[in-house]
Amino acid sequence: MLQLQNYIQGQLVPPTAGRYLPNIEPATGQVFSQIPESDAQDVALAVQAAEAALPAWRQLPAEERGQLLVRISELITRDLEPLAQAESQDNGKPVSLARTVDIPRAASNFAFFGTAAQHFASETHFQEGVALNYTVRHPLGVVGCISPWNLPLYLFTWKIAPALAAGCCVVAKPSEITPYTAFLLSKLCIEAGLPAGVLNIVHGTGPAAGQAIIEHPTIKAISFTGGTKTGEHIARTAAPLFKKLSLELGGKNPNIIFADCDLAEAVRTSLRSSFANQGQICLCGSRIFVERPIYEQFKQEFLAGVASLTVGDPQEEASRQGALVSEAHLQKVLSYIELAHQEGGRLLAGGQRVQVPGRCAGGYFLQPTVFEGLAPDCRVNLEEIFGPVVTLTPFDSEEEVLTWANGTEYGLAATIWTRDLNRAHRVAHALHSGIVWINTWLHRDLRTPFGGMKNSGVGREGGLEALRFFTEPQSITVKL
Ligand code: NAD
């Protein structure tokens, strides 16, 4: 059976305690690999390796660091197909999605930050006849990057690439639920000639390996993406150690559809924003608010689209919905479907586990599910479900829908559908949401700030925000 290894000091190594965890393929429910169950000892070795590599790495010209990152990007692109297959096997997502979104975006992350490092500049503040103040941005040092299971390689590289570009050395931990592509990445880093210790990948659980990273006194910053509860725990642990924190957390995103929108486009994109990756994208719009004059028409067309989403083996091209990531997560999502019934919701589509015949008989499949008739402030409409479950709610005014849209503890992403430009801007400005899409969804420009307001996070990733996060400004003043 495939046995993954840690990547420490440029080598693939077993965990020091020799313990492994089973890794399950969600589409079959079968164990297909073993992953290192690393602990504080492995993290300490990784930190040592990163510290030893730091002086040479931070002094390397940005152009040379960038060339290595671009080389890694090229290798990811070369291996697009095996990486997409691995991501699909590990996560349960359709291979077609991994091929068109996850893996190309992982390659883009390295290419983008590989070149961004050369464009990164700092400020000068000139005081006429008095002084010249200039700012130098030093790499923070050794940093920790911890990522979730939903977009495994994509979100892992979204942190690692800017950290390396900024001149930091990294100790990174992928989710223990989806570690496979991070392991394949470590092989590509060796092939690319990344100097030993610059990037170290430690596999294992959050409470053991993850906890050791957030507690380690040498680690200067934690870049974390995952659940809000975990983020809270990380903040509580790392803040007294004065670590810099970037926390990208949960969401409960509104999708607001005004009567003057391009309905066909709104329906098509809302199907994606509801159910892409089985609804397991932090940016999915799980609360769909539709202006009353088009509510019934939207509902009919949307439900027709839902009926066409084939649930099946993620390896098959025709499958539009793969498996949920784990049995535990499937049970959590099913418990919210039960809650939606209890809270008075009318089931319009789905709601049941799916038995896919053949090799996938033991897989964690669920029908895409739609409810209506739920109060905007019921638990189903306030709590993050993170699965293929959406609610439809009619609204009568801009004011009303803004109150509902802003009425959760989250503020990650929102989508607005309208042809009225003034309204689009007005509503966008009034939304308490770190990201707003108008007449589109999941459109990404890697230069824009990425992250959430309220309990959806602290700080922003992307572009210069990420390079600023991984560096420490120093102000130097020269008296004239
Ligand atoms: P999670 O919080 O359970 O785990 C995320 C990572 O944290 C994993 O690698 C896990 O091992 C690690 N971890 C757990 N406990 C830890 C500890 N004590 N110390 C250090 N690390 C620890 O989240 P998940 O279930 O993997 O991912 C789903 C969540 O992620 C959802 O809430 C989703 O909204 C969120 N998410 C947010 C974004 C974003 O950009 N805002 C993107 C994707 C996912």
Side-chain angles (χ1 to χ4, degrees):
M1 181 176 295
L2 175 66
Q3 198 168 62
L4 309 192
Q5 309 225 282
N6 289 331
Y7 171 50
I8 297 176
Q9 181 61 18
Q11 311 274 328
L12 297 177
V13 293
T16 43
R19 284 195 303 271
Y20 288 83
L21 296 162
N23 186 22
I24 293 172
E25 177 175 1
T28 63
Q30 302 295 316
V31 175
F32 79 101
S33 71
Q34 294 187 307
I35 74 164
E37 190 179 358
S38 310
D39 57 24
Q41 234 182 315
D42 301 289
V43 169
L45 291 174
V47 174
Q48 255 172 37
E51 261 193 301
L54 187 63
W57 182 249
R58 65 186 294 161
Q59 270 171 24
L60 210 59
E63 190 178 352
E64 287 178 42
R65 282 203 300 267
Q67 279 163 356
L68 280 160
L69 301 193
V70 170
R71 179 74 190 126
I72 296 170
S73 167
E74 289 165 356
L75 294 175
I76 292 174
T77 303
R78 182 198 69 190
D79 287 359
L80 187 139
E81 191 52 33
L83 285 166
Q85 296 286 346
E87 202 71 297
S88 168
Q89 182 176 24
D90 208 10
N91 172 278
K93 67 181 67 206
V95 68
S96 53
L97 185 71
R99 198 182 278 138
T100 50
V101 177
D102 294 75
I103 309 305
R105 288 196 178 195
S108 301
N109 288 341
F110 275 109
F112 175 82
F113 283 109
T115 48
Q118 292 177 55
H119 301 274
F120 190 38
S122 57
E123 311 84 38
T124 63
H125 300 91
F126 186 61
Q127 293 172 298
E128 201 69 49
V130 182
L132 166 69
N133 310 281
Y134 66 95
T135 305
V136 181
R137 287 200 159 261
H138 299 286
L140 274 181
V142 177
V143 298
C145 297
I146 300 177
S147 60
W149 50 257
N150 64 322
L151 301 166
L153 191 64
Y154 175 6
L155 293 178
F156 196 54
T157 54
W158 182 233
K159 303 180 169 309
I160 291 170
L164 296 178
C168 294
C169 288
V170 176
V171 176
K173 191 192 89 60
S175 168
E176 61 274 36
I177 300 172
T178 53
Y180 191 9
T181 47
F183 169 66
L184 298 177
L185 175 70
S186 50
K187 291 183 165 182
L188 296 182
C189 290
I190 294 171
E191 187 180 342
L194 192 69
V198 165
L199 169 64
N200 304 275
I201 299 176
V202 181
H203 294 275
T205 66
Q211 186 69 23
I213 292 174
I214 62 173
E215 283 177 350
H216 200 293
T218 305
I219 292 183
K220 299 281 184 245
I222 302 291
S223 174
F224 169 79
T225 300
T228 294
K229 274 267 158 289
T230 316
E232 201 181 306
H233 170 78
I234 290 176
R236 209 178 295 120
T237 310
L241 299 168
F242 304 111
K243 292 184 198 301
K244 217 171 164 182
L245 286 176
S246 166
L247 303 174
E248 301 297 334
L249 312 175
K252 186 74 181 175
N253 310 309
N255 178 6
I256 304 171
I257 299 171
F258 286 97
D260 68 346
C261 70
D262 175 340
L263 186 62
E265 186 55 41
V267 169
R268 205 169 24 247
T269 304
S270 295
L271 283 167
R272 275 205 312 127
S273 66
S274 301
F275 300 116
N277 207 37
Q278 296 73 247
Q280 302 166 131
I281 300 181
C282 54
L283 307 164
C284 278
S286 53
R287 295 182 294 149
I288 307 178
F289 299 112
V290 187
E291 209 172 5
R292 200 174 298 275
I294 60 160
Y295 182 78
E296 285 304 322
Q297 195 186 346
F298 177 89
K299 182 167 104 181
Q300 272 172 28
E301 293 183 22
F302 185 71
L303 291 176
V306 173
S308 73
L309 294 173
T310 320
V311 180
D313 187 340
Q315 286 182 2
E316 282 174 16
E317 295 301 321
S319 300
R320 284 290 150 265
Q321 293 283 288
L324 269 65
V325 77
S326 66
E327 174 71 37
H329 190 57
L330 173 69
Q331 292 307 328
K332 177 192 154 185
V333 178
L334 282 169
S335 76
Y336 273 100
I337 291 175
E338 179 52 34
L339 180 64
H341 286 295
Q342 286 167 17
E343 290 187 319
R346 273 189 304 284
L347 182 69
L348 299 176
Q352 299 291 327
R353 196 172 174 163
V354 179
Q355 285 297 326
V356 174
R359 90 172 189 103
C360 292
Y364 315 131
F365 296 88
L366 183 65
Q367 292 172 330
T369 298
V370 185
F371 278 96
E372 71 171 357
L374 283 156
D377 61 352
C378 72
R379 280 184 56 204
V380 168
N381 270 328
L382 295 182
E383 297 175 14
E384 185 184 47
I385 301 175
F386 215 55
V389 181
V390 298
T391 61
L392 295 183
T393 310
F395 69 89
D396 292 302
S397 72
E398 212 175 285
E399 221 179 8
E400 178 179 57
V401 78
L402 273 169
T403 306
W404 294 344
N406 287 335
T408 76
E409 67 180 42
Y410 297 110
L412 186 54
T415 309
I416 303 167
W417 292 92
T418 178
R419 285 191 170 104
D420 179 340
L421 198 57
N422 284 333
R423 171 158 58 201
H425 289 294
R426 191 170 60 236
V427 173
H429 288 220
L431 282 165
H432 305 158
S433 179
I435 300 163
V436 179
W437 283 295
I438 298 170
N439 298 328
T440 183
W441 178 74
L442 209 64
H443 184 99
R444 290 286 293 126
D445 177 328
L446 303 191
R447 296 170 297 180
T448 60
F450 178 89
M453 296 181 181
K454 301 194 280 185
N455 294 4
S456 288
V458 177
R460 294 293 183 271
E461 298 187 294
L464 297 177
E465 299 277 348
L467 293 174
R468 288 196 190 107
F469 175 76
F470 288 113
T471 53
E472 179 128 73
Q474 179 184 40
S475 171
I476 298 176
T477 301
V478 188
K479 187 169 180 289
L480 297 180

